[in-house]
Amino acid sequence: MKILIKGAGDLATGIASRLYGCGHQIVMTELEVPLTVRRSVALSRAVYEKCAQVENMTGICAGSRKEIEDILEKGDIPVVVDEKAETRFWFRPDVVIDAILAKRNLGTSITDAPLVIGVGPGFTAGEDCHCVVETKRGHTLGSLIWQGSAIANTGVPGEVGGYTTERLIRAAADGLMEPKVQIGQKVEKGQIVAVTGEHPVCAQMSGIVRGMLQSGVRVKRGLKIGDIDARSDVSHCMSVSDKARAIGGGVLEAVSRFEHMKGSFAIVVLAAGKGERFGSNKLKIPFFDSALYEIMFQKAAAFSGYPVIVVTGYEEIEKAAEKNGFAVARNQEPEQGISRSVKLGLEKVLEIDSTIQGVLFTVCDQPNLKISTIQRIFNEAFCHPGQIICAGEDGETRNPVLWDKRDFPALLTLTGDSGGRQILKHHLDRVRIIETEKGELLDIDRPKDLECLRKEVGV
């Protein structure tokens, strides 16, 4: 698959090593002046050295689309000076990985690619990315987070060789950086290892210099400019770290899962109801700054790896769906009940791709529904083929529901206004429930439901 990695530092390079070894095409973006401390094991140095070798990977600085394409064709990794990752607009990656490690999101959106991965703190799964990879050393290092965020940055570096803060080398003053030792060199506590802004920087411990910024970089006082490793093994300075490999393994798991899931599922958004209990077309009712159907469309747009079909009889909703790149199944007879919308949606899915393994049916009147819940439903369906996956609360099944292909014939014979529940009750042994937060699955059936929800969120 085509993968764009934002950042080309040592951890990003560790991620690239896992993906590169599995044959994926990788493009990495960097700053004009990289600030990678462990630069001997980072492809970011290709920016100022033109070419960088890390283990079996070669990173080559690229300045144009043609250069990027030529480098990829040769099986190497282009490193592009592109702070905003605008390369993605023409590269159209399957996966975007934000591995800048800024401890905050600097501009990554969940709609940047079919799969977006945030590395470390600063990201929330289901909001600005599909999943987050834990970067804090410890039992959960490299684990995937599909709901929530990574452990918050504590400001205290992880322990290496029995040392934490002592192993860091920080700038003593604002100004230009001038290293006085080389990566791999043994130093003693108190030794001058660099000069920043004409002020000497001394080692706080003895060991081997594992990382050091390149000469001539302008730094700020307190910036991390190097680190020391008490284990004194020179090979550690020239190979991808255990931490980077663990994080890379987590990213590879997410990418491999998506690669297998891609093309397996579809989403059907039901937006044809007349809203008789509400008293009017509730789908167009504003909530915050968007109509209810627009809120659902925003969630569906996060899943560009799957076909999205909108079933509706409303011209305004149809146009909005097409603008989002969704397919439309027209339902001009909503009075026949929800079963007609289900059948029309499923027929459209099978018309687009008859090999689809499962279809998630969702409605537009659940504004609290989280993107992470939809993602967890897909994950569950992937791990448990043949099952019916429902969102739920306290063990009670609710919408959305993902139906397996074995249920398609029964769905196509539905009648009336009960939808798939008449099928569900006969297959309870195959039902798996994804538990959600209280109130997340609230349906807006009547005006009072909307008013209660508005009061709850302070609208």
Side-chain angles (χ1 to χ4, degrees):
M1 295 202 296
K2 297 197 298 182
I3 299 175
L4 181 81
I5 302 178
K6 298 171 72 172
D10 60 306
L11 294 184
T13 300
I15 292 168
S17 72
R18 292 293 204 188
L19 299 170
Y20 182 79
C22 292
H24 297 294
Q25 279 195 332
I26 301 166
V27 174
M28 305 181 81
T29 65
E30 250 301 342
L31 300 173
E32 187 175 0
V33 181
L35 295 174
T36 306
V37 169
R38 294 205 64 219
R39 55 193 172 90
S40 57
V41 290
L43 294 178
S44 60
R45 72 177 194 277
V47 170
Y48 50 89
E49 293 182 1
K50 303 306 178 187
C51 181
Q53 187 79 28
V54 177
E55 298 187 355
N56 67 329
M57 300 179 295
T58 301
I60 301 173
C61 187
S64 68
R65 176 172 177 172
K66 185 178 187 309
E67 288 179 359
I68 292 172
E69 291 171 340
D70 288 346
I71 293 167
L72 287 172
E73 189 175 349
K74 293 175 182 177
D76 293 322
I77 298 176
V79 181
V80 190
V81 175
D82 183 7
E83 185 173 351
K84 296 183 179 179
E86 293 178 346
T87 302
R88 72 182 188 278
F89 293 123
W90 67 262
F91 186 54
R92 298 177 66 83
D94 298 294
V95 184
V96 165
I97 302 163
D98 190 324
I100 297 173
L101 280 299
K103 309 297 190 296
R104 59 193 178 96
N105 186 348
L106 298 178
T108 293
S109 169
I110 197 170
T111 56
D112 284 345
L115 176 65
V116 178
I117 302 172
V119 181
F123 301 97
T124 301
E127 293 183 13
D128 40 26
C129 60
H130 294 93
C131 74
V132 179
V133 180
E134 183 57 70
T135 57
K136 185 174 176 58
R137 289 183 184 275
H139 190 69
T140 59
L141 176 65
S143 60
L144 296 182
I145 301 164
W146 296 99
Q147 182 179 24
S149 305
I151 297 170
N153 180 36
T154 62
V156 178
E159 182 181 313
V160 176
Y163 294 87
T164 57
T165 55
E166 304 97 325
R167 64 184 178 84
L168 301 189
I169 303 171
R170 295 190 181 276
D174 295 358
L176 295 180
M177 157 77 182
E178 189 58 45
K180 295 299 181 182
V181 294
Q182 296 179 344
I183 294 174
Q185 181 177 336
K186 189 168 184 178
V187 297
E188 300 296 330
K189 182 177 181 180
Q191 180 179 339
I192 296 176
V193 293
V195 173
T196 58
E198 301 183 354
H199 286 68
V201 180
C202 298
Q204 298 183 70
M205 58 175 281
S206 300
I208 279 184
V209 177
R210 191 171 73 144
M212 182 70 71
L213 285 184
Q214 67 272 26
S215 177
V217 177
R218 187 166 293 278
V219 299
K220 291 285 188 180
R221 183 176 184 274
L223 178 72
K224 178 183 174 182
I225 60 171
D227 73 61
I228 297 171
D229 190 342
R231 297 171 296 182
S232 298
D233 188 334
V234 177
S235 67
H236 292 169
C237 305
M238 307 302 167
S239 58
V240 174
S241 70
D242 54 348
K243 178 177 180 178
R245 291 188 198 281
I247 294 169
V251 172
L252 178 59
E253 178 187 337
V255 170
S256 297
R257 178 190 293 244
F258 176 73
E259 187 176 19
H260 288 293
M261 289 171 64
K262 191 177 180 184
S264 297
F265 304 115
I267 297 173
V268 172
V269 179
L270 303 176
K274 299 178 69 175
E276 292 179 351
R277 283 180 291 177
F278 194 84
S280 63
N281 183 3
K282 62 182 177 181
L283 302 183
K284 298 181 182 181
I285 296 295
F287 186 73
F288 286 105
D289 296 325
S290 304
L292 287 179
Y293 79 84
E294 291 174 323
I295 294 173
M296 187 60 235
F297 283 9
Q298 291 163 11
K299 301 178 197 299
F303 297 95
S304 58
Y306 310 124
V308 177
I309 292 83
V310 176
V311 183
T312 188
Y314 299 106
E315 185 177 355
E316 176 186 328
I317 295 177
E318 180 178 334
K319 288 181 178 179
E322 292 173 343
K323 187 177 180 179
N324 277 276
F326 305 153
V328 174
R330 294 184 180 88
N331 183 359
Q332 304 294 347
E333 301 175 278
E335 63 276 2
Q336 291 191 25
I338 195 172
S339 61
R340 177 168 172 78
S341 287
V342 169
K343 286 190 289 185
L344 290 171
L346 181 54
E347 287 170 353
K348 190 68 173 181
V349 167
L350 297 176
E351 177 187 320
I352 293 170
D353 186 352
S354 61
T355 67
I356 288 291
Q357 302 297 300
V359 177
L360 182 139
F361 287 86
T362 187
V363 293
C364 290
D365 60 354
Q366 289 180 311
N368 279 351
L369 176 67
K370 295 180 181 295
I371 291 173
S372 59
T373 296
I374 298 174
Q375 180 66 62
R376 289 190 296 135
I377 289 173
F378 283 131
N379 290 351
E380 190 78 2
F382 170 70
C383 292
H384 300 279
Q387 305 300 291
I388 303 168
I389 317 299
C390 304
E393 187 176 315
D394 296 329
E396 181 182 347
T397 61
R398 303 281 295 279
N399 288 317
V401 178
L402 190 146
W403 295 91
D404 183 73
K405 63 179 181 180
R406 70 169 68 178
D407 299 300
F408 291 176
L411 290 171
L412 291 171
T413 61
L414 284 174
T415 58
D417 202 35
S418 61
R421 291 200 174 276
Q422 53 191 289
I423 300 173
L424 200 66
K425 64 184 181 182
H426 295 298
H427 298 285
L428 295 178
D429 59 320
R430 291 172 48 223
V431 173
R432 302 183 72 91
I433 298 175
I434 298 299
E435 283 290 334
T436 62
E437 297 178 4
K438 186 172 179 61
E440 180 183 343
L441 304 179
L442 175 67
D443 292 306
I444 306 299
D445 288 331
R446 298 173 176 82
K448 66 178 183 179
D449 298 329
L450 186 60
E451 291 307 313
C452 289
L453 187 57
R454 283 174 170 163
K455 289 179 181 178
E456 183 179 318
V457 298
V459 177

